[in-house]
Amino acid sequence: MPFRIVLGDITKQNVDAIVNAANSSLLGGGGVDGAIHRAAGPRLLEECRGLNGCRTGEAKVTLGYDLPCKYVIHTVGPIWQGGRSGEENLLRLAYRNSLARAAEKECESVAFPLISAGVYGYPKESALKIAEEEIRHFLDDHEMEITLVIFSKDSFRMDMDLCSKLSHLLRNTYETDEKRGSFLGNVMKSIAFGGAAGSRDSVFTERKAKEKTRGKADAPAESRACETEIEELCDEAAAEEVHVRNFLAGQSAECMTSQPAFAASMMQMQPTSLEAALANLDESFSQSLLRLIDAKGMKDSECYKKANVDRKLFSKIRSDVHYRPSKQTVLAFAVALELDVAETEALLKKAGFALSHASKFDIIVEYFISNKQYDLYTINEALFAFDQNLLGA
Ligand code: AR6
């Protein structure tokens, strides 16, 4: 995944280089600087002594010594003075110069802390936005894995308005659906385990009888509507089950005359038809994706970069017609292609997935897609804030 946000300690990241939010002496300090020097050992300070400091916005490289990374890129962010002293430009320079040093050292992966967002007092939400903008800009024409390491959720601030909208949505959709889900779950369990218990009676009709004897006068309207829907499903399933039983009991002739379409569909399950069906598979995920990229007039690179998908992975998807992507990858492409909810569902189906209101991840992504907000970085910020997997691959 070219860009990700993780919660953790930068000194523990398995990357080629980590960035240190240092001060201009480069001789150590508190915060992330202190943590990096402690983890790297005294040889880091020795090398830093020979660097003659570093001006705000610039970046200098040392080895990583006892750290798991090869290099430490030391940069100095601005001290926040109210925003009128060129802080934004200096913070952007700190990211740009650090990334330039990482590219010079041919790093394939680099991890950043939120520069200036601690002791130097830069407002956290703006510091995050600037970090993301600079990283995204760099990734437009570089291949690298860049991780933004957030030390604690306290140091992470996303748009409060968006955050409260999503909390409200999750409360109203996820929790309501969880309750409804448990009702559906019970029906499904009764279907699955009722049949496995060996009873000769239809589990569907059994379920229906139970539903009928249960008093519904007190049930809330929403729950009654849901139960009616389930009852209808049970009726349909029961009818289908009767036909299957008839057919399997050797009553195919009767079945043929009373239900020709059903009998014909059962006949299609013969081995020769199965072979034919398998020879006529639908368009695969990979084929659908490439068709959609063309239809939107996008270049491949434009699409996979917008989707936060690694170039190598995209080549794999391109060359393997049967490639099975993860749900995060499919949704990342849906966002990059700016699909609507129905188109997203169709693309998910190609990979064997669906959007579910029993999943926070799905609700959050669906929220952005249905509101036509296709900025993947903002979506990932929201997913990170709610402890979900990020989009991309
Ligand atoms: N891993 C990842 N992030 C961390 C870690 C860690 N181990 N420790 C802290 N952070 P700060 P600044 C986060 O104060 O604002 C030093 O004394 C922290 O939560 O380290 O650029 C230097 O010597 C915050 O979000 O750096 C300078 O004098 C972010 O790292 C001065 O502080 C930056 O916080 C630089 O201040």
Side-chain angles (χ1 to χ4, degrees):
M1 195 181 289
F3 175 67
R4 76 181 83 215
I5 309 177
V6 302
L7 194 63
D9 180 345
I10 203 162
T11 64
K12 305 273 189 323
Q13 303 299 310
N14 279 311
V15 287
D16 293 337
I18 63 171
V19 175
N20 181 16
N23 58 57
S24 52
S25 76
L26 292 190
L27 299 177
V32 72
D33 194 6
I36 289 173
H37 274 274
R38 278 193 298 280
R43 287 175 298 163
L44 178 63
L45 184 58
E46 262 168 52
E47 188 179 349
C48 282
R49 282 205 178 97
L51 294 177
N52 295 320
C54 179
R55 285 194 300 203
T56 306
E58 290 184 354
K60 293 188 175 179
V61 187
T62 64
L63 296 177
Y65 299 101
D66 297 342
L67 286 160
C69 57
K70 234 187 279 175
Y71 304 109
V72 178
I73 299 168
H74 306 262
T75 190
V76 184
I79 299 172
W80 181 254
Q81 290 169 346
R84 297 194 175 179
S85 308
E87 293 95 321
E88 179 179 336
N89 190 39
L90 289 168
L91 185 56
R92 289 186 187 280
L93 276 176
Y95 280 98
R96 259 177 245 169
N97 283 320
S98 301
L99 287 165
R101 295 298 90 74
E104 281 158 21
K105 293 285 179 191
E106 298 181 347
C107 294
E108 289 180 2
S109 53
V110 57
F112 279 88
L114 266 181
I115 302 166
S116 284
V119 175
Y120 280 0
Y122 208 102
K124 294 178 170 62
E125 197 185 322
S126 315
L128 174 67
K129 275 278 158 261
I130 289 169
E132 286 182 345
E133 280 169 18
E134 289 303 322
I135 290 168
R136 186 200 307 234
H137 189 247
F138 177 83
L139 286 174
D140 278 344
D141 38 34
H142 293 84
E143 301 285 334
M144 205 181 276
E145 286 201 348
I146 303 178
T147 307
L148 197 55
V149 183
I150 305 294
F151 194 47
S152 74
K153 275 281 168 78
D154 298 343
S155 51
F156 178 80
R157 292 270 187 291
M158 65 177 276
D159 179 342
M160 286 312 287
D161 188 36
L162 175 62
C163 191
S164 68
K165 265 191 209 149
L166 286 172
S167 301
H168 184 75
L169 177 76
L170 288 170
R171 258 199 314 278
N172 286 326
T173 320
Y174 184 65
E175 288 174 11
T176 314
D177 274 26
E178 241 186 359
K179 282 181 207 136
R180 202 181 284 144
S182 68
F183 177 77
L184 264 167
N186 288 340
V187 173
M188 291 311 173
K189 255 185 244 155
S190 122
I191 289 171
F193 298 117
S199 158
R200 284 178 61 92
D201 292 334
S202 158
V203 289
F204 302 115
T205 40
E206 202 177 275
R207 174 74 210 182
K208 196 169 167 259
K210 268 189 207 156
E211 286 297 308
K212 281 207 169 125
T213 52
R214 207 151 66 85
K216 288 184 198 152
D218 300 334
E222 197 182 3
S223 154
R224 273 203 305 278
C226 182
E227 289 181 24
T228 310
E229 204 176 303
I230 301 291
E231 245 183 44
E232 281 166 12
L233 277 172
C234 287
D235 284 342
E236 273 171 36
E240 195 164 323
E241 189 190 14
V242 168
H243 290 305
V244 174
R245 280 183 194 285
N246 286 345
F247 188 81
L248 295 177
Q251 296 172 6
S252 53
E254 188 193 334
C255 209
M256 287 272 196
T257 48
S258 60
Q259 291 290 331
F262 173 74
S265 75
M266 289 300 286
M267 294 307 283
Q268 279 173 9
M269 293 307 289
Q270 296 302 311
T272 49
S273 313
L274 183 60
E275 268 168 39
L278 290 174
N280 282 303
L281 285 178
D282 271 359
E283 187 184 46
S284 71
F285 166 76
S286 159
Q287 290 165 325
S288 303
L289 176 66
L290 298 176
R291 177 177 53 74
L292 285 166
I293 293 174
D294 286 346
K296 298 269 173 181
M298 287 175 101
K299 279 198 262 163
D300 285 358
S301 59
E302 189 189 344
C303 184
Y304 69 71
K305 277 181 191 277
K306 209 171 154 201
N308 196 28
V309 167
D310 178 68
R311 181 180 55 83
K312 284 186 204 133
L313 184 86
F314 184 81
S315 315
K316 239 188 233 170
I317 299 175
R318 185 171 245 307
S319 58
D320 179 359
V321 75
H322 300 303
Y323 184 82
R324 299 294 303 263
S326 69
K327 195 169 186 178
Q328 288 106 285
T329 306
V330 182
L331 286 171
F333 280 117
V335 168
L337 289 159
E338 304 195 352
L339 302 184
D340 63 23
V341 174
E343 292 166 328
T344 301
E345 289 275 16
L347 189 62
L348 278 168
K349 205 171 163 197
K350 295 288 176 193
F353 301 116
L355 286 173
S356 157
H357 284 183
S359 147
K360 283 187 188 178
F361 171 82
D362 290 17
I363 294 169
I364 293 171
V365 178
E366 190 181 334
Y367 167 85
F368 284 99
I369 291 177
S370 55
N371 284 292
K372 304 209 174 303
Q373 290 177 17
Y374 296 112
D375 180 49
L376 192 131
Y377 280 58
T378 308
I379 301 175
N380 275 350
E381 263 179 43
L383 289 167
F384 175 79
F386 288 91
D387 302 318
Q388 302 300 304
N389 288 330
L390 306 186
L391 295 185

